[in-house]
Amino acid sequence: MERGVKRPRGGAGDDFRARGGAGDGCEADFRRWDVAETVSYLRREGLDQWEQIFREHGITGPGLPFLSEAHLEKMGVSPLGSRLQVLHCVQKLWQISSESMKVFNDPIHGHIELHPLLVRFIDTPQFQRLRHIKQLGGTYLVFPGASHNRFEHSIGYECTHMHQPLVGYLAGCLVQALHERQPELLITKQDALCVQIAGLCHDLGHGPFSHMFDGMFIPKVRPGEKWKHEMASVQMFDHLVRVNGLEEVMVHHGLTLPNDLIFIKEQIAGPLENSVLNRSWPYKGRPMEKSFLYEIVANKRNGIDVDKWDYFARDCYHLGIQNNFDYQRFLRFARVCEVRGKKHICTRDKEVGNLYDMFHTRNCLHRRAYQHKVGNIIETMITEAFVKADPHIQIQGSAGRIFSISSAIEDMEAYTKLTDHIFELILYSSAPELSEARAILNNIVCRRLYKCVGQTTAETHMDASQEKLLDWAKEVAGSKPSGTDANLTAEDFVVSVIHMDYGMKEKNPINNVHFYCKKDPTKAIKIRKKQVSKLLPECFAEQLIRVYCKKSDDRSLEAAKKYFVQWCMDRNFTKPQDGDIIAPELTPLKHDWHTLEKDDEDSELDDNAVDNHLGMRDETPRKTGRNVKVNLFQAQGESRL
């Protein structure tokens, strides 16, 4: 991403702007002003000639966002130039910045601008670390173009287009859309900046190879520990602010501490305290009337958030896959409605099909790229190498303490130094204690990978703990079919369980979305699946069970495939797609796999009838037990027997 020159923001039309400087803090709470404080602001801005008119009409801070040029004319403010001058002065209170903006060139969003406060966050070692963490982990070893990193994603989801008046291309655009459409929401410049900072910093806690670290490596070396990258993002954010002295900078730009710090962290990881007295509203950073702000960066309610919008576009671009979701439509129809005392972001009823398409796009990305069978086994091998290297890697943290790969999550200074570079550190090391880990990584580089011998599914949800996967490897090794010569052990197999869903496990996320109708945009409604289409999914989650073989010689691989088919038969799993090819002597023995469903029979009969009707069937009699030829349509003039 190319960084360009500063670009000043100016003009009365620029939305969400306010003067930078230490004076921002006193004007941040203008919505609490009484008449005296309001006219005091006019005096500070050199508009004291209108002070008496504002006093006579009782204008207070909460009413300023609703003040229009027509209102000022009725109040007696003239001429037009004076009215525009007063409006411009008033609008600066809830607009973000007129300071010079940094211009970047992003491959997805084009030329983009960043607020100077965001640049201060970016120009820190903790944020720059994201340049060295691949967005898609080991997937880039399968898809050559997928070498983009967490830095790009965090910037892109936070930037604004040159021609967009609000800072923050996605998080900011959604805030702006809501502000322009519904000024009564009273979205302040502090709200907008906090949302953008949360978007910028939401991925600070990712470890080497992104989700591989917290999804595969940590569970192996620290079983039972409920550690996720969101927790580390909050810890890294605190560390970043503290060691770079950003508290003063945030106050300088009008933020209120510690309240806004809490709000930013809550957007990243949810409520910060488990034991919350007020269960109806667990957040502290913003009151319930601002509940919709928590649905922009990481939407815990239904998963529709700007994080997905950026990674859909960015990942598809680098993977070479078509992105069918257009977030601009959501922006166009987004508005806030009140539901049982809370305010939620809603969209038009006609957009329900597009939202199902969005989650279908997410599912397709997982199937085609994120959960690619080769990419998954590469990450499994990297994890194995990291596990073997873990006790021997030393990372210096705070106060000179030494940490391993797995313990670095306890110290943010050490964790700052932990990136994808650990792969090369092990690969190019000469330390004898790293020989096993080095050999695994060398096999990856030379493409000597574990081979997938098959994929199946279970009828019901299965436990996928580390212990269960090891037990299943033993079961596969014990499923040797008769007539198979090769002897394979549990150590030769790797069993992997892939969870596929629409983002909310077994639940339909659209059930948690509120819609509104054109006739009454203030009333939120639910739209159930059966109201949309009968062709939508019946279930929204499944598990894919994959088995890999570590041996790569042809004899062992052929045997491993038969082991796998036999295990699927014993476990009553679904028949592998290539089961009849890799083990034709085994699959006929499983009666359930060869029971023709009635629907299939009816379908085949229907197809035959259509073919006969169209005259497309071969008239040659078949050699069957009963050789019968039937003419459904006689030629014209042919006599009937």
Side-chain angles (χ1 to χ4, degrees):
M1 185 174 297
E2 178 188 0
R3 178 179 293 197
V5 298
K6 292 183 178 181
R7 180 176 181 268
R9 297 288 299 273
D14 284 352
D15 201 4
F16 266 124
R17 297 183 307 133
R19 295 174 305 166
D24 281 351
C26 65
E27 290 159 10
D29 299 325
F30 74 92
R31 298 182 192 280
R32 300 174 184 171
W33 287 351
D34 57 18
V35 174
E37 290 171 308
T38 302
V39 298
S40 175
Y41 172 68
L42 291 179
R43 285 197 302 272
R44 290 198 301 273
E45 293 293 315
L47 298 172
D48 47 300
Q49 67 267 38
W50 310 117
E51 177 181 342
Q52 189 59 34
I53 289 180
F54 270 62
R55 286 187 184 277
E56 291 173 358
H57 289 83
I59 304 297
T60 61
L64 292 177
F66 303 97
L67 203 61
S68 67
E69 189 266 328
H71 291 140
L72 292 174
E73 185 177 17
K74 289 181 180 179
M75 289 165 56
V77 178
S78 62
L80 175 61
S82 295
R83 293 195 293 272
L84 294 179
Q85 186 180 14
V86 172
L87 277 180
H88 175 58
C89 166
V90 168
Q91 289 171 354
K92 289 192 295 184
L93 289 168
W94 57 85
Q95 296 170 343
I96 286 184
S97 180
S98 60
E99 300 179 61
S100 294
M101 312 294 283
K102 284 288 183 76
V103 179
F104 291 71
N105 187 10
D106 179 73
I108 307 303
H109 305 304
H111 286 89
I112 53 182
E113 296 177 337
L114 285 177
H115 185 278
L117 178 57
L118 302 182
V119 176
R120 290 296 298 270
F121 276 87
I122 292 170
D123 292 342
T124 63
Q126 294 74 28
F127 194 90
Q128 294 293 321
R129 165 183 178 270
L130 297 179
R131 290 183 184 271
H132 311 293
I133 297 177
K134 296 288 191 299
Q135 170 81 3
L136 300 185
T139 303
Y140 87 100
L141 292 168
V142 179
F143 291 83
S147 59
H148 55 304
N149 54 56
R150 290 279 160 186
F151 180 89
E152 300 173 47
H153 168 59
S154 298
I155 293 282
Y157 136 11
E158 206 37 53
C159 293
T160 180
H161 197 277
M162 285 281 287
H163 303 294
Q164 293 286 346
L166 177 67
V167 176
Y169 185 70
L170 296 179
C173 278
L174 184 49
V175 172
Q176 166 159 337
L178 297 174
H179 169 72
E180 290 182 343
R181 203 164 290 135
Q182 297 173 272
E184 67 273 13
L185 295 174
L186 305 181
I187 299 173
T188 66
K189 67 187 183 73
Q190 290 96 324
D191 294 335
L193 265 178
C194 288
V195 169
Q196 293 158 53
I197 293 170
L200 194 71
C201 298
H202 78 291
D203 273 349
L204 286 176
H206 268 295
F209 294 87
S210 291
H211 290 288
M212 185 210 81
F213 189 78
D214 59 342
M216 300 173 71
F217 173 71
I218 292 296
K220 275 188 175 292
V221 293
R222 303 180 72 147
E225 184 157 344
K226 303 296 182 181
W227 184 89
K228 293 296 181 184
H229 75 270
E230 291 88 353
M231 299 163 53
S233 292
V234 168
Q235 294 169 350
M236 186 66 82
F237 176 77
D238 282 336
H239 177 67
L240 181 156
V241 171
R242 185 177 63 256
V243 300
N244 294 285
L246 292 186
E247 297 97 333
E248 184 179 344
V249 181
M250 296 172 78
V251 171
H252 175 81
H253 286 281
L255 300 190
T256 303
L257 306 186
N259 193 62
D260 285 342
L261 285 173
I262 294 172
F263 176 43
I264 292 167
K265 291 186 285 187
E266 286 176 336
Q267 291 178 79
I268 295 171
L272 300 181
E273 297 179 7
N274 293 327
S275 56
V276 181
L277 295 177
N278 185 5
R279 290 288 178 183
S280 64
W281 187 244
Y283 296 100
K284 293 184 177 180
R286 288 296 184 273
M288 193 182 298
E289 49 266 30
K290 293 287 184 75
S291 56
F292 61 93
L293 293 175
Y294 289 96
E295 299 177 3
I296 295 175
V297 172
N299 192 339
K300 304 291 191 293
R301 192 166 62 87
N302 53 45
I304 301 173
D305 50 48
V306 296
D307 182 28
K308 286 185 181 61
W309 300 353
D310 184 82
Y311 81 65
F312 279 2
R314 195 170 301 278
D315 292 354
C316 286
Y317 174 84
H318 289 283
L319 289 165
I321 295 175
Q322 181 69 35
N323 176 26
N324 295 319
F325 177 70
D326 181 8
Y327 66 83
Q328 293 285 359
R329 284 191 65 85
F330 192 93
L331 287 175
R332 183 173 296 275
F333 293 108
R335 66 178 295 115
V336 173
C337 299
E338 187 167 326
V339 182
R340 293 186 294 275
K342 296 180 182 178
K343 294 180 179 178
H344 296 295
I345 298 176
C346 308
T347 190
R348 269 290 300 277
D349 49 354
K350 67 178 182 177
E351 293 302 298
V352 62
N354 292 331
L355 293 186
Y356 274 107
D357 288 344
M358 186 194 86
F359 286 103
H360 177 69
T361 297
R362 178 187 182 276
N363 186 47
C364 289
L365 280 170
H366 274 271
R367 291 183 179 278
R368 296 177 61 183
Y370 306 156
Q371 306 298 345
H372 191 284
K373 63 180 182 180
V374 179
N376 281 172
I377 201 57
I378 286 175
E379 291 192 339
T380 298
M381 295 176 71
I382 295 173
T383 299
E384 287 183 359
F386 283 10
V387 170
K388 292 182 181 296
D390 186 39
H392 311 295
I393 298 295
Q394 294 188 337
I395 305 169
Q396 184 172 331
S398 58
R401 292 181 297 164
I402 301 300
F403 296 88
S404 64
I405 301 174
S406 60
S407 64
I409 63 176
E410 302 167 7
D411 183 270
M412 288 301 104
E413 187 172 329
Y415 197 52
T416 302
K417 302 173 183 177
L418 190 59
T419 66
D420 290 0
H421 89 286
I422 206 76
F423 184 103
E424 281 77 20
L425 181 69
I426 297 169
L427 180 65
Y428 300 133
S429 71
S430 56
E433 62 269 21
L434 293 175
S435 59
E436 288 185 272
R438 186 165 56 245
I440 295 173
L441 298 186
N442 191 58
N443 283 337
I444 294 174
V445 172
C446 296
R447 306 301 285 188
R448 294 190 290 265
L449 309 175
Y450 305 158
K451 303 298 181 182
C452 182
V453 296
Q455 176 177 296
T456 184
T457 60
E459 291 295 325
T460 59
H461 183 84
M462 306 293 289
D463 170 33
S465 64
Q466 295 295 318
E467 295 77 13
K468 175 60 69 174
L469 297 181
L470 293 175
D471 289 342
W472 279 359
K474 294 176 182 177
E475 286 184 12
V476 176
S479 301
K480 181 180 179 180
S482 57
T484 302
D485 296 332
N487 293 315
L488 300 173
T489 66
E491 289 70 28
D492 296 323
F493 291 102
V494 174
V495 180
S496 174
V497 175
I498 311 300
H499 300 273
M500 306 290 291
D501 56 46
Y502 268 35
M504 296 190 70
K505 297 184 178 179
E506 295 82 11
K507 297 179 181 179
N508 178 0
I510 305 300
N511 288 342
N512 289 338
V513 178
H514 289 95
F515 300 86
Y516 66 88
C517 300
K518 184 177 182 180
K519 187 175 182 180
D520 185 1
T522 64
K523 184 178 180 181
I525 61 172
K526 290 285 189 77
I527 300 178
R528 298 302 177 186
K529 182 166 66 78
K530 64 182 180 181
Q531 298 174 265
V532 182
S533 172
K534 293 181 179 179
L535 301 179
L536 295 172
E538 285 298 322
C539 62
F540 293 88
E542 69 173 344
Q543 290 176 312
L544 306 180
I545 304 170
R546 292 174 181 162
V547 174
Y548 297 85
C549 180
K550 293 184 178 182
K551 292 188 174 180
S552 57
D553 61 283
D554 292 342
R555 180 170 173 269
S556 295
L557 282 176
E558 288 303 314
K561 292 176 182 178
K562 297 182 187 298
Y563 275 66
F564 170 69
V565 172
Q566 183 65 57
W567 180 62
C568 291
M569 295 169 63
D570 297 342
R571 270 278 178 179
N572 202 31
F573 291 158
T574 58
K575 182 170 72 171
Q577 292 181 356
D578 59 350
D580 291 334
I581 304 300
I582 62 178
E585 73 281 11
L586 295 177
T587 53
L589 303 178
K590 182 71 171 173
H591 178 71
D592 293 348
W593 286 355
H594 291 273
T595 301
L596 191 63
E597 298 290 341
K598 184 178 184 301
D599 289 345
D600 294 336
E601 291 178 344
D602 293 344
S603 175
E604 185 177 341
L605 290 173
D606 290 344
D607 290 342
N608 290 341
V610 170
D611 288 345
N612 281 327
H613 176 73
L614 296 175
M616 295 170 62
R617 299 291 292 178
D618 186 358
E619 295 296 332
T620 304
R622 295 182 180 177
K623 295 181 179 180
T624 59
R626 295 180 63 193
N627 190 0
V628 180
K629 179 178 178 181
V630 180
N631 251 343
L632 296 180
F633 301 95
Q634 296 174 330
Q636 187 175 6
E638 184 178 342
S639 63
R640 191 172 183 179
L641 297 177

